[in-house]
Amino acid sequence: SHRGGRSVMLLRFTDGSRLVYKPRPLAAHRHFNSLLEWFGSLPGTPSLRALRVLDRGEYGWVEYVEERPCSSTSDTHLFYRRQGALLAVLHLLDGTDLHQENLIACGPHPVLVDVETLFHPPLSQAHSSDPAARALHASVHRVGLLPQLLVGDAAALDVSAIGGGRAAPSPIETADWADAGTDTMRLVRRSARFTESANRPRLEGVAADPSAYTDALCEGFRAGYTAISDYRDELLGKRGLLTDFAQDEVRVVPRPTWTYTTLLDESTHPDLMRDAAERHQVLSLLRTPTLGVPALPGLEDEEIEELWAGDVPVFLTRPGSPDLWSGTGREVPPTPGPTGLARVEAKVRAMDTVDRQDQERIIRAAMVSTSPEPPHRAEGGARPRMAATAPEPEQLLSAARSVGDQLVSLAYRHEARTNWIGLELLGERYWRLAPMAADLASGYTGPALFLAQLAALTGADRYAEAAREALTPVPGLLDALHGRVDDLAVLGSGAFAGLGGIAYALAEVGSLLGDRT
């Protein structure tokens, strides 16, 4: 609930029909529907279903949509092709927070039920010194449709519109009441449970495996991206379709909602309800790095005030304005940089084949983490004998050059720093798309070592330069660890994921490049 306890409600009529009430302006949803209608008229794009909207100014009504199974495999293929096209539209509009509860699978149609976070300002990652973090934040991954992990202390759960939706315990423990309504009622901490969502298409009662439809997803994204790029002139300018959104109210999400709900739960502990100062001290954790750095600093006073009122804090803006205000109606420090509308228009102008291919690579990498395939296991039995003659050194070096050239071309660069987007393994169980960390096995020191070896063999400066730039953040990392000795035990001294591998890479690269630094 936001703004004095307001929340979405479901209205049921005696004939069984239903309608969704939303206690906020729905102009952005109305204009989104118009954009989908335009998008569906473009050559090569699949039609996307929109919910009918009745905009009543400060509130409105939205059509209720029910989950419906697919009738054939081709229907499921069409669903994911449409979802890829929808991803292209949401990427265009800087949409975010489109998780599993915001999308309904209605036959061959993925239907969005909430579009309140369009034209969203960049979060803190957009200003990171890590070029891979900046690139990932500006990519299709930010929308929230692609696999996204909610990470707890001992587990993680995909809550995205594509990969999420399974019934499972939450990775995050919350305060709850055991034996409610009895004389043994007591406060406990336990995982809440996610119920099964309706975001994944079903065929004969079985939910689809999204990883099996990655090609269809990319095909739809490619068609949508290309059509938007080809007809961009109809979006831009004073009479373009994007200007319809300029004065619409949209939501800004500076922190994950679970951060606020956790604080609400914890701050109503009986020990804290006896003294307002103690409760305020807990809510003031929002001012510390303990709960993460907000995407937009300077909002803490308003966040705390709304939490005192029992609300999840909400912040609002308009795409055509830098102004920002809270759920209480008060203005807060405006978002820095250009307006949401200006950012989206700049993105549309910059759309090209190279960027489209980059986005497709990110989609395919993200979808790997949804695959139910077991990890690779070596086959038993004897291996066939290999050729008795070794390959020619020039042949091997040519293959190594092609790998090095690909590493250089896939690298993200910013202010003399280089990094890559890769898959990070969490707890030996979960894969997450993320900027590469420092470890040797799956981090940036691995490519740096390979490129340095290639530079030593070929004398090519581009490999040596990329190796040096990849290692740029290591001194800062070591300085930070020097001041946080307790974290060294977590990092470990291992060769593959610990300090041993980092030390080995530094020593080897220094020797290969003749660079004592």
Side-chain angles (χ1 to χ4, degrees):
S1 67
H2 308 291
R3 294 190 273 191
R6 293 174 175 84
S7 63
V8 173
M9 301 291 284
L10 192 62
L11 177 64
R12 293 179 175 88
F13 294 88
T14 52
D15 65 357
S17 57
R18 284 172 282 187
L19 201 57
V20 180
Y21 165 78
K22 295 197 174 183
R24 61 173 183 270
L26 296 180
H29 202 146
R30 184 161 45 84
H31 291 135
F32 179 76
N33 287 354
S34 299
L35 190 72
L36 286 191
E37 185 179 351
W38 166 82
F39 178 81
S41 70
L42 302 179
T45 60
S47 60
L48 298 176
R49 180 177 166 185
L51 296 178
R52 287 172 292 171
V53 171
L54 189 60
D55 181 17
R56 290 302 193 202
E58 292 302 308
Y59 67 96
W61 302 91
V62 180
E63 173 190 359
Y64 180 83
V65 62
E66 290 194 73
E67 179 187 14
R68 188 161 54 82
C70 292
S71 57
S72 64
T73 304
S74 60
D75 263 9
T76 311
H77 182 279
L78 182 55
F79 175 94
Y80 282 103
R81 188 171 186 273
R82 284 182 167 134
Q83 197 161 39
L86 181 61
L87 182 57
V89 173
L90 293 169
H91 174 58
L92 151 77
L93 294 175
D94 273 350
T96 187
D97 200 39
L98 279 307
H99 50 75
Q100 62 190 33
E101 295 177 344
N102 281 343
L103 187 135
I104 304 291
C106 184
H109 292 276
V111 184
L112 275 183
V113 298
D114 205 341
V115 292
E116 64 175 340
T117 52
L118 302 178
F119 297 88
H120 200 281
L123 305 179
S124 53
Q125 300 95 309
H127 310 293
S128 169
S129 60
D130 184 341
R134 297 166 73 102
L136 189 61
H137 179 70
S139 75
V140 290
H141 193 254
R142 182 192 181 196
V143 172
L145 285 178
L146 295 172
Q148 307 266 345
L149 289 179
L150 178 63
V151 181
D153 291 333
L157 184 68
D158 187 356
V159 294
S160 68
I162 283 181
R166 297 176 179 85
S170 169
I172 299 171
E173 288 191 346
T174 56
D176 195 10
W177 295 107
D179 300 339
T182 72
D183 58 359
T184 59
M185 179 175 170
R186 63 199 180 280
L187 194 68
V188 296
R189 296 187 190 283
R190 59 185 171 198
S191 295
R193 188 164 184 84
F194 280 93
T195 56
E196 193 169 30
S197 298
N199 55 299
R200 295 169 71 184
R202 292 180 172 275
L203 182 61
E204 297 178 351
V206 179
D209 165 22
S211 66
Y213 295 91
T214 301
D215 287 343
L217 188 72
C218 289
E219 180 188 324
F221 179 82
R222 192 180 312 123
Y225 188 106
T226 302
I228 292 168
S229 178
D230 289 346
Y231 292 87
R232 72 183 86 196
D233 290 344
E234 297 179 28
L235 294 170
L236 302 170
K238 292 183 178 179
R239 297 189 178 182
L241 287 170
L242 292 177
T243 57
D244 292 344
F245 292 93
Q247 297 306 312
D248 297 346
E249 182 182 282
V250 291
R251 185 179 170 192
V252 175
V253 185
R255 300 179 197 259
T257 298
W258 66 264
T259 303
Y260 297 132
T261 55
T262 300
L263 272 178
L264 280 173
D265 286 342
E266 297 297 336
S267 65
T268 51
H269 190 286
D271 290 346
L272 299 176
M273 298 297 281
R274 299 188 187 99
D275 189 334
E278 289 189 9
R279 186 172 190 231
H280 190 79
Q281 192 174 357
V282 170
L283 296 180
S284 295
L285 286 172
L286 285 170
R287 303 185 193 278
T288 70
T290 308
L291 294 178
V293 180
L296 301 167
L299 308 182
E300 293 84 0
D301 287 345
E302 287 297 323
E303 289 176 311
I304 292 169
E305 181 165 341
E306 292 186 47
L307 287 168
W308 265 106
D311 279 332
V312 169
V314 66
F315 296 92
L316 307 153
T317 187
R318 293 188 176 90
S321 167
D323 295 337
L324 189 67
W325 65 95
S326 70
T328 62
R330 280 196 290 270
E331 286 196 14
V332 292
T335 56
T339 64
L341 186 59
R343 281 192 303 271
V344 167
E345 287 182 335
K347 179 190 288 188
V348 174
R349 290 189 181 94
M351 292 173 81
D352 58 21
T353 304
V354 174
D355 176 66
R356 193 205 75 219
Q357 291 172 342
D358 193 30
Q359 302 307 322
E360 283 188 52
R361 272 196 299 270
I362 288 172
I363 293 171
R364 288 187 180 277
M367 292 302 289
V368 167
S369 64
T370 69
S371 176
E373 293 296 320
H376 175 72
R377 293 286 181 265
E379 294 292 333
R383 294 175 179 269
R385 289 180 66 84
M386 303 299 290
T389 55
E392 291 294 324
E394 284 303 315
Q395 190 180 358
L396 292 173
L397 190 57
S398 176
R401 277 179 178 273
S402 68
V403 174
D405 291 340
Q406 190 174 11
L407 279 173
V408 172
S409 69
L410 291 178
Y412 295 94
R413 308 178 77 173
H414 178 71
E415 293 182 353
R417 183 173 173 186
T418 290
N419 200 7
W420 295 264
I421 294 172
L423 284 166
E424 177 185 12
L425 185 60
L426 301 177
E428 302 297 323
R429 293 172 61 194
Y430 311 98
W431 288 103
R432 177 172 66 179
L433 195 67
M436 281 191 171
D439 59 281
L440 183 61
S442 59
Y444 55 75
T445 51
L449 177 57
F450 179 87
L451 290 168
Q453 291 169 327
L454 197 55
L457 287 169
T458 63
D461 288 340
R462 66 181 182 279
Y463 301 138
E465 183 182 3
R468 284 192 180 92
E469 288 186 356
L471 296 176
T472 299
V474 174
L477 170 68
L478 298 178
D479 285 344
L481 288 171
H482 185 71
R484 296 160 58 183
V485 180
D486 292 343
D487 291 343
L488 289 174
V490 178
L491 181 62
S493 57
F496 297 111
L499 278 172
I502 296 172
Y504 175 78
L506 290 173
E508 282 289 298
V509 173
S511 174
L512 289 162
L513 301 183
D515 187 341
R516 290 180 60 82
T517 60

